[in-house]
Amino acid sequence: MSTTTTTNSTTNANTTISTNTNLAVLVSGRGSNLQSMIDYIENGNIENANIGVAISDVADAYALKRAKKHGIDAVFIDPTAFGNKIEYEHELIKILDSYDTDLIILAGYMRIVGKNVISAYKNRILNIHPTLLPSFAGLHSHKQTLDYGVKVSGCTVHFVDEGMDTGPIILQSCVPVLENDTEDTLSERILEQEHKIYPQAVKLFIEGKLKVEGRIVRVSK
Ligand code: GAR
């Protein structure tokens, strides 16, 4: 039984110039952060970066369509086709390795990354979360934010460790929470900031400007 579906192969690791940083983007849904990353790179803001593959754990994720539209390989890995998370992630690592992945970008990937992936790609996995971490980690973050009554929220780009949204923080951006905000209006305003700081964080990584010292990420100019 085939558990992995790949479509559209105009770019893969074999055709990539060796000085390129190969990015793999993991997604589960609409992929607006994937799109902002694609646009940022296509507009020439990061030199020598190549999104080799977008990988989804959801078959009909719109993010896969976005990838294909830009000539990026789009891969669906069906988690239900594997006996357990370790086997699923074994397949994931196999695919990531086959694209000579230098950096994994989680962009609305709604699974906790397991320890095998983390140790294979130590300090080479980034995530974005739509709150000012460590507040409101995990699911339903906008609801958590509104229910708590905070006046300021935002988004956070961080390295991924074994916890849920707990890794060292790279960049954050603040967004005011307004009196009449709903989950939709708040998430829309935060998303605008996500689309700015996530590509910036990737650029900093690629330019070698991030140094992780324990929990602290030093960002050089
Ligand atoms: C984004 O808001 C992202 O911050 C969030 O999912 C959304 C994905 O949107 N991620 C998490 O909550 C991860 N804990 P997108 O598919 O349009 O990029």
Side-chain angles (χ1 to χ4, degrees):
M1 178 176 53
S2 168
T3 53
T4 304
T5 317
T6 308
T7 45
N8 195 341
S9 3
T10 53
T11 311
N12 65 34
N14 297 331
T15 58
T16 300
I17 302 163
S18 60
T19 52
N20 260 4
T21 301
N22 293 320
L23 311 175
V25 184
L26 269 53
V27 295
S28 300
R30 76 190 150 182
S32 71
N33 277 289
L34 167 66
Q35 188 68 57
S36 72
M37 209 66 72
I38 292 170
D39 295 344
Y40 194 74
I41 293 169
E42 283 187 354
N43 289 334
N45 293 298
I46 311 181
E47 279 180 29
N48 300 329
N50 168 60
I51 302 177
V53 63
I55 304 173
S56 175
D57 61 334
V58 174
D60 61 354
Y62 186 64
L64 292 178
K65 293 198 175 68
R66 294 185 194 261
K68 281 188 253 174
K69 223 168 136 184
H70 290 264
I72 296 166
D73 282 5
V75 177
F76 163 56
I77 309 177
D78 182 358
T80 66
F82 298 88
N84 54 44
K85 179 170 172 154
I86 291 178
E87 286 172 23
Y88 162 73
E89 290 199 335
H90 181 74
E91 174 72 5
L92 179 60
I93 292 170
K94 220 169 77 186
I95 294 170
L96 290 166
D97 288 351
S98 76
Y99 281 87
D100 281 343
T101 300
D102 297 302
L103 178 67
I104 301 172
I105 297 168
L106 308 185
Y109 179 67
M110 300 314 255
R111 279 174 191 272
I112 296 182
V113 177
K115 65 174 189 303
N116 291 341
V117 182
I118 289 173
S119 66
Y121 285 88
K122 191 168 165 41
N123 285 342
R124 292 192 293 143
I125 311 174
L126 306 186
N127 181 43
I128 187 147
H129 185 76
T131 68
L132 295 176
L133 290 171
S135 293
F136 315 127
L139 295 174
H140 312 299
S141 36
H142 301 112
K143 181 169 182 348
Q144 289 189 61
T145 301
L146 292 173
D147 287 352
Y148 203 89
V150 292
K151 305 299 184 196
V152 177
S153 188
C155 50
T156 304
V157 181
H158 63 95
F159 283 102
V160 173
D161 64 11
E162 284 186 34
M164 189 197 287
D165 302 321
T166 52
I169 290 170
I170 301 167
L171 292 177
Q172 294 185 299
S173 179
C174 296
V175 169
V177 179
L178 305 179
E179 193 71 27
N180 298 320
D181 260 336
T182 61
E183 287 180 52
D184 284 347
T185 58
L186 179 60
S187 82
E188 202 176 306
R189 276 203 321 287
I190 292 175
L191 205 58
E192 273 177 37
Q193 294 307 307
E194 294 185 38
H195 296 164
K196 289 188 181 145
I197 67 168
Y198 209 3
Q200 284 168 8
V202 169
K203 182 178 165 79
L204 289 169
F205 179 95
I206 291 174
E207 291 177 346
K209 291 183 174 167
L210 302 179
K211 193 163 160 220
V212 184
E213 295 173 5
R215 269 222 62 80
I216 310 300
V217 180
R218 307 273 173 214
V219 182
S220 55
K221 297 244 161 93

